[in-house]
């Protein structure tokens, strides 16, 4: 006979350790030391790689020196280029966030604190590898040399917007730069990246695909569809979970982060999964290179969890002071990615405070110049930026009769 | 009576129902501690605890499906889909499950859940924060679909939706959350406090589902509208000099066909307005109903003023949005033919 107890169950509703007014508290986390994690061969079977899903691959210590077997061999020139891309990304974000505040556009999203991820990965991937980003990987476009002014045209929905004013700001697209059109619907891009990788495997062109999504978005079914297909067909794809601790106001526990890591999702699908300090440029680079080599050697997919912190608001529509301590970003135990790469370069004797200051100013100047050019063309809301008829184009390849009629009705 | 915005009125409906009935609970993305990105669930977690108002993982399918399970158990869950544009992952659960469970179990199981979602454009939200997917629900047997246009109606209708024993899709016109925007962009939006329908009782009251409301009486023609478009239609009536009768449908399924027939029989002319795309939109259903019931009373072809059959654009939002001048044009055509 089953004995039932009244009130036997209690729903667990996860809650973060600190809310506004509390002291930031990251004391429940412990991390392996930089250099402590071994680097497996790229052809190691998934079953031997499980521990990597629960650890944290770190290369840079907080003093800036590179430790252990994951330390990549990257020349000083490449590191300085990456530093400049990170500074450019941060300067770009600052300006465009401000531009929204000044009413020049409707919306903006920064990637503050997460710059190392996009830029190290763009550095590790081949320029023609295909990226399926979320809205927080502007660093990829910047590292690949996409013109800043075109990004701004998109943000301003102006006459020269490559997306013809159709999309919300930051929803870039560029086939030429291997950057898939960004969707506002979370996680949809991840199984698409798997399909692209399957097509690449089918065609044998040697290019691999990579997708990005936030830790919050891993709850969506699309992520699990992606992992299933990637695992089943051993598609040459890298799935990147950017765990920046927050999904708008929900901390990562709401997506299941209290129970296990996000990398551990890979284990269940038999997909090798690595967890990496996302604020450590060198570690992200090394891990991405490992995964890319694995994919290129026809050994299939890799899941990477980038452990980081969303230092800014979710978007210009958000006010994080309402749900998390204001100084939580500053208390993040793994520091700021730019400061950490800077310390490394300075330690190598390949960079200085002075060079850093100049590079920062240069980045601001480059962004300012692009901003001037873009604003000359126009900001959001300038009359006549797009002729009304353009609204009806690209719905289909050929415009059907009913759209032609509606276009006429609209006065085009 | 207190003057409330639509957001406050919706919040009040949830508050009233949660305090009356321990079976009512609410969840969705950012709904708990934060109180929702539009703040409709503000303070409910503090007041009723995290087990009755909580954050959900970002999985609309899971949100809808767990609500179905709860409803089958006997609770009355109210879920929030953060934007109607994000309901598609939940669509299978809503269409194949929530809508049919009563029928397929011959009433053995039922799904008394309410699915709240902000919908509609006019906020420069681009194609993933602007859609009006009501026709995707009105087409589904087993679902009721409700769209309020004022704070007073929002509260009374939400209470009825929660009390209803069938699944109710409750679409909230987010463009009028904070004021009765009427499509006249050159004029500042009045706050709700200046609108009589912002006077909302603090306690319990219900507005029955399936009942339309005539918001402007007139003899020349009938305008059928719902949500934001009610206010736009009223502005069009005012600016046009045409003596239009404006009917706020409030419930799309089951629709108040009697109110529609009565008005069109009187005026003999009909203009239908919605923001959603035109082809197979809810206006097509209304057109069919009007011609079925009022064919011999009609003095002119029925006109539809709708969003165009394109995704919702960003820069050209105001060319897309059905504004009063577009409605007036249609009204004139109907008057002249
Ligand atoms: C299908 C879908 N549901 C909900 C949303 C609303 N939304 C936009 S961003 C976001 C949070 C995403 O968090 P996360 O995946 O962690 O990414 P992050 O913003 O932290 O980079 C939500 C809920 C959406 N865009 N798409
Ligand atoms: Mg996140």
């Amino acid at each position: 006979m089953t004995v039932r107890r009244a009130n036997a169950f209690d729903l667990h509703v996860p809650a973060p350790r600190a809310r506004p007014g509390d002291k930031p508290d990251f004391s429940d986390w412990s991390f392996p030391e930089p250099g402590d994690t071994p680097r497996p061969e790229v052809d190691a079977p998934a079953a031997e790689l499980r521990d990597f899903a629960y650890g944290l691959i770190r290369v840079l210590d907080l003093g800036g020196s590179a430790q252990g077997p994951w330390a990549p061999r990257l020349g000083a020139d490449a590191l300085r280029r990456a530093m400049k891309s990170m500074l450019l990304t941060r300067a770009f974000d600052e300006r465009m966030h401000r531009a929204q505040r000044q009413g020049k556009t409707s919306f903006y999203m920064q990637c503050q604190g997460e710059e190392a991820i996009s830029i190290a990965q763009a550095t590790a991937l081949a320029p023609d590898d295909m990226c399926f980003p979320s809205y927080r990987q502007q660093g990829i476009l910047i590292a690949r040399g996409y013109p800043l002014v075109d990004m701004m045209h998109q943000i301003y929905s102006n006459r020269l917007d490559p997306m013809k004013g159709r999309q919300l700001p930051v929803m870039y697209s560029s086939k030429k730069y291997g950057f898939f059109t960004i969707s506002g619907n979370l996680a949809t891009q991840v199984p698409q990246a798997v399909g692209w990788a399957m097509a690449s495997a089918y065609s044998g062109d040697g290019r691999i695909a990579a997708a990005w999504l936030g830790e919050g978005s891993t709850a969506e079914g699309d992520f699990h569809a992606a992992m299933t297909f990637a695992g089943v067909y051993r598609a040459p794809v890298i799935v990147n979970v950017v765990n920046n601790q927050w999904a708008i106001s929900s901390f990562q526990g709401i997506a299941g982060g209290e129970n296990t890591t996000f990398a551990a999702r890979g284990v269940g699908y038999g997909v090798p999964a690595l967890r990496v300090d996302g604020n450590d440029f060198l570690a992200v680079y090394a891990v991405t290179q490992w995964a890319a080599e694995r994919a290129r050697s026809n050994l299939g997919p890799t899941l990477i969890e980038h452990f980081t912190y969303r230092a800014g608001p979710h978007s210009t529509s958000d006010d994080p002071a309402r749900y998390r301590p204001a100084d939580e970003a500053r208390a993040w135990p793994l520091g700021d990615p730019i400061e950490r790469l800077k310390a490394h370069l300075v330690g190598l004797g390949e960079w200085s405070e002075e060079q850093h200051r100049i590079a920062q100013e240069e980045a601001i100047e480059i962004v300012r110049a692009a901003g001037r050019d873009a604003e000359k063309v126009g900001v959001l809301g300038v009359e006549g930026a797009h002729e009304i008829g353009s609204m009806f184009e690209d719905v289909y390849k050929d415009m059907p009769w009913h759209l032609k009629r509606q276009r006429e009705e609209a006065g085009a | 009576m207190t003057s409330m915005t639509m957001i406050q009125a919706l919040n009040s409906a949830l508050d009233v129902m949660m305090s009356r009935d321990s079976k009512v609970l609410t969840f969705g993305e950012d709904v708990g501690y934060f109180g929702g990105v539009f703040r409709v669930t503000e303070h409910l977690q503090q007041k009723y605890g995290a087990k009755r108002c909580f954050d959900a993982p970002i999985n609309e399918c899971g949100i809808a499906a767990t609500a179905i399970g709860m409803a089958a158990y006997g609770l009355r869950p109210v879920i929030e889909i953060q934007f109607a544009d994000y309901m598609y992952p939940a669509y299978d659960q809503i269409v194949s499950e929530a809508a049919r469970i009563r029928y397929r179990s011959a009433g053995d199981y039922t799904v008394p859940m309410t699915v709240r979602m902000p919908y509609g454009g006019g906020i420069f939200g681009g194609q993933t924060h602007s859609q009006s997917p009501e026709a995707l629900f009105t087409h589904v047997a087993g679902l009721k679909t409700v769209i309020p246009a004022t704070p007073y109606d929002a509260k009374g209708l939400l209470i009825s939706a929660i009390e209803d024993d069938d699944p109710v899709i409750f679409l909230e016109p987010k463009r009028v959350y904070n004021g009765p925007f009427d499509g006249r962009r050159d004029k500042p939006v009045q706050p709700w406090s200046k609108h009589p329908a912002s006077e909302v009782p603090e306690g319990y009251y219900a507005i029955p589902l399936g009942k339309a409301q005539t918001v402007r009486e007139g003899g020349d023609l009938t305008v059928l509208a719902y949500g934001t478009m009610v206010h736009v239609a009223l502005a069009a009536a005012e600016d046009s000099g045409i003596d239009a009768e404006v009917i706020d449908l409030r419930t799309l399924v089951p629709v108040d066909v009697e109110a529609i027939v009565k008005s069109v029989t009187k005026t003999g002319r009909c203009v239908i307005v919605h923001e959603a795309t035109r082809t197979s939109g809810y206006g097509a259903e209304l057109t069919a109903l009007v011609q079925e019931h009022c064919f011999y009373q009609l003095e002119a072809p029925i006109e539809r003023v709708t969003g165009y059959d394109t995704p919702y654009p960003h820069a050209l939002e105001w060319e897309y949005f059905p504004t009063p001048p577009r409605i007036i044009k249609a009204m004139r055509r109907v008057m002249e033919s």
Side-chain angles (χ1 to χ4, degrees):
Chain A
M1 203 185 91
T2 313
V3 181
R4 291 210 176 81
R5 278 183 296 129
N7 297 324
F9 312 123
D10 192 19
L11 278 191
H12 172 68
V13 180
R17 292 178 73 105
R19 286 294 193 186
D22 300 335
K23 251 172 75 110
D25 182 2
F26 297 114
S27 59
D28 54 337
W29 286 339
S30 63
F31 307 113
E33 291 301 310
D36 271 5
T37 310
R39 184 181 191 277
E41 295 301 322
V42 293
D43 60 357
E48 285 172 22
L49 297 169
R50 281 184 195 154
D51 287 351
F52 292 91
Y54 303 95
L56 193 75
I57 294 166
R58 302 176 65 190
V59 171
L60 284 175
D61 63 24
L62 296 178
S65 54
Q67 310 284 351
W70 283 97
R73 275 183 289 277
L74 250 184
D77 281 342
L79 289 176
R80 277 189 293 260
R81 248 197 324 275
M83 172 59 90
K84 287 179 182 171
S85 293
M86 295 215 288
L87 290 172
L88 206 51
T89 303
R90 191 163 288 185
F92 184 86
D93 274 356
E94 275 166 13
R95 183 178 175 104
M96 300 323 290
H97 185 82
R98 218 170 39 242
Q100 191 278 344
R101 290 287 181 257
Q102 294 162 343
K104 293 173 184 168
T105 190
S106 54
F107 182 80
Y108 191 70
M109 296 178 105
Q110 307 176 85
C111 66
Q112 200 191 329
E114 302 171 35
E115 293 91 346
I117 299 165
S118 295
I119 290 168
Q121 297 204 275
T123 309
L125 293 171
D128 62 349
D129 285 337
M130 183 65 190
C131 299
F132 287 77
S134 86
Y135 44 69
R136 235 183 272 286
Q137 277 76 47
Q138 54 266 56
I140 295 172
L141 279 179
I142 291 175
R144 285 187 168 179
Y146 186 84
L148 296 186
V149 69
D150 287 341
M151 294 169 76
M152 291 174 172
H153 290 324
Q154 196 282 330
I155 290 164
Y156 290 147
S157 270
N158 67 19
R159 181 165 53 77
L160 296 185
D161 169 9
M163 259 58 73
K164 303 188 184 173
R166 294 199 184 121
Q167 276 266 54
L168 196 68
V170 317
M171 302 290 171
Y172 314 108
S173 172
S174 173
K175 198 173 204 171
K176 185 170 158 204
Y177 286 80
F179 194 89
F180 196 64
T181 159
I182 298 173
S183 174
N185 298 65
L186 294 172
T188 50
Q189 72 277 14
V190 190
Q192 294 164 358
V194 175
W196 195 98
M198 288 166 67
S200 164
Y202 170 83
S203 317
D205 71 359
R207 294 164 72 192
I208 65 174
W212 286 261
L213 76 164
E215 87 296 337
S217 304
T218 62
E220 290 284 7
D222 295 51
F223 169 69
H224 299 271
M227 295 303 292
T228 303
F229 278 68
V232 167
Y233 298 110
R234 302 205 186 130
V237 65
I238 304 172
V239 175
N240 295 286
V241 175
V242 180
N243 176 4
N244 63 7
Q245 313 304 321
W246 292 93
I248 311 186
S249 75
S250 298
F251 85 120
Q252 42 81 28
I254 296 293
E258 279 183 344
N259 301 335
T260 187
T261 66
F262 291 94
R265 301 283 184 265
V267 175
Y269 294 101
V271 171
L274 307 175
R275 196 157 173 267
V276 63
D277 173 359
N279 290 11
D280 177 342
F281 181 90
L282 294 185
V284 174
Y285 176 85
V287 160
T288 307
Q289 205 188 32
W290 185 93
E293 201 184 324
R294 193 174 164 94
R296 269 187 239 289
S297 316
N298 200 30
L299 294 162
T302 303
L303 175 68
I304 303 175
E305 175 186 345
H306 303 265
F307 196 69
T308 182
Y309 187 87
R310 194 197 77 210
H314 171 72
S315 72
T316 45
S317 312
D318 179 42
D319 175 13
R322 299 183 86 128
Y323 53 79
R324 68 183 191 185
D327 51 349
E328 207 176 65
R330 253 171 292 134
W332 182 244
L334 298 171
D336 174 82
I338 293 182
E339 291 303 315
R340 288 179 64 194
L341 184 61
K342 175 185 157 200
H344 177 64
L345 270 168
V346 170
L348 291 177
E350 296 287 355
W351 197 243
S352 66
E353 288 294 342
E354 179 64 2
Q355 273 173 296
H356 193 77
R357 192 183 55 73
I358 291 170
Q360 255 170 339
E361 280 167 15
E362 272 171 8
I364 292 168
E365 192 39 53
I366 291 168
V367 169
R368 191 181 292 145
R372 271 195 302 264
D373 289 349
E375 287 177 26
K376 240 181 269 162
V377 176
V379 296
L380 178 66
V382 171
E383 288 288 319
H386 303 275
E387 52 124 358
I388 294 175
S390 74
M391 185 160 66
F392 300 89
E393 289 161 12
D394 300 322
V395 182
Y396 301 94
K397 177 162 168 285
D398 300 313
M399 199 180 292
W401 68 268
H402 67 287
L403 278 182
K404 285 184 187 155
R405 203 161 116 191
Q406 290 177 22
R407 187 177 58 179
E408 264 167 49
E409 256 176 53
Chain B
M1 292 283 212
T2 318
S3 176
M4 295 189 196
T5 66
M6 187 180 283
I7 290 172
Q8 291 164 334
L10 291 163
N11 180 264
S12 171
L14 289 165
D15 192 356
V16 164
M17 290 311 288
M18 288 173 84
S19 70
R20 277 168 74 95
D21 183 354
S22 65
K23 291 192 167 68
V24 177
L25 78 174
T26 186
F27 61 104
E29 293 155 20
D30 302 288
V31 156
Y33 182 87
F34 189 53
V37 295
F38 291 104
R39 323 221 54 79
V40 172
T41 55
E42 195 165 25
H43 305 312
L44 296 176
Q45 182 175 82
Q46 286 82 340
K47 191 162 172 189
Y48 298 100
K51 291 180 182 72
R52 287 187 70 194
C53 175
F54 53 89
D55 291 327
I58 303 172
N59 183 318
E60 294 75 12
C61 168
I63 293 168
T66 52
I68 292 170
M70 291 175 188
Y73 181 98
L75 302 184
R76 290 188 179 272
V78 184
I79 57 173
E80 175 177 300
I81 302 293
Q82 196 164 83
F83 286 84
D85 316 66
Y86 303 139
M87 69 83 184
Y88 302 102
Y91 198 55
D92 185 32
Q93 285 287 343
I94 293 172
V95 173
S96 312
E97 304 301 318
R100 299 189 201 150
I101 281 176
R102 175 186 295 280
Y103 192 80
R104 78 182 191 213
S105 70
D108 199 15
Y109 289 100
T110 58
V111 184
M113 74 165 178
T114 306
V115 186
R116 292 185 37 245
M117 16 184 160
Y119 85 95
I123 61 158
F124 274 111
Q127 55 191 269
T128 56
H129 303 90
S130 306
Q131 294 164 43
S132 297
E134 65 273 15
L136 298 178
F137 299 110
T138 58
H139 191 56
V140 177
L143 299 178
K144 295 183 179 175
T145 300
V146 175
I147 305 186
T150 66
Y152 181 84
D153 283 356
K155 178 170 174 181
L157 288 167
L158 183 55
I159 286 174
S160 290
I162 296 170
E163 290 184 321
D164 200 277
D165 289 332
D166 285 311
V168 179
I169 306 298
F170 194 89
L171 289 158
E172 300 168 2
K174 61 179 168 301
R175 188 61 184 82
V176 298
Y177 263 162
N178 286 306
F181 176 70
D182 63 8
R184 289 185 282 207
R185 273 196 308 138
D186 43 339
K187 298 203 176 137
V189 182
Q190 294 292 314
W192 272 119
S193 57
K194 300 230 165 104
H195 193 288
S198 77
E199 285 300 314
V200 176
E202 274 155 68
Y204 173 93
Y205 67 96
I207 295 175
L209 305 188
K211 286 272 170 261
Q213 192 178 37
T214 305
V215 289
R216 184 185 195 282
E217 296 205 4
D220 287 349
L221 62 77
T222 301
V223 182
L224 302 178
Y226 46 88
T228 306
M229 288 301 135
V230 171
H231 305 282
V232 182
L234 285 169
E238 190 178 303
D239 291 353
S240 67
I242 295 169
D243 186 26
E245 181 146 295
V246 179
I247 296 188
D248 173 1
L249 295 174
R250 303 199 294 191
T251 301
L252 307 193
V253 173
V255 73
D256 188 350
V257 70
E258 243 174 71
I260 296 171
V261 171
K262 197 170 142 224
S263 177
V264 179
T265 303
K266 176 175 81 174
T267 62
R269 297 169 203 270
C270 183
V271 172
I272 294 159
V273 189
H274 62 63
E275 196 183 338
T277 49
R278 165 174 304 215
T279 299
S280 302
Y282 189 67
E285 178 61 30
L286 291 172
T287 307
L289 278 176
V290 171
Q291 83 81 27
E292 279 164 19
H293 289 87
C294 309
F295 185 76
Y296 297 105
Q297 284 79 46
L298 280 174
E299 288 170 40
I302 302 159
E303 285 253 3
R304 284 181 284 167
V305 183
T306 68
Y308 300 116
D309 285 329
T310 75
Y312 212 106
H314 183 247
L316 291 172
E317 165 142 65
W318 296 113
E319 281 70 23
Y320 183 93
F321 190 94
T323 46
R326 266 174 72 192
I327 300 175
I328 293 170
K329 258 201 224 160
M331 287 163 73
R332 296 238 154 89
R333 278 195 302 268
V334 168
M335 288 311 294
E336 282 153 19
S337 69

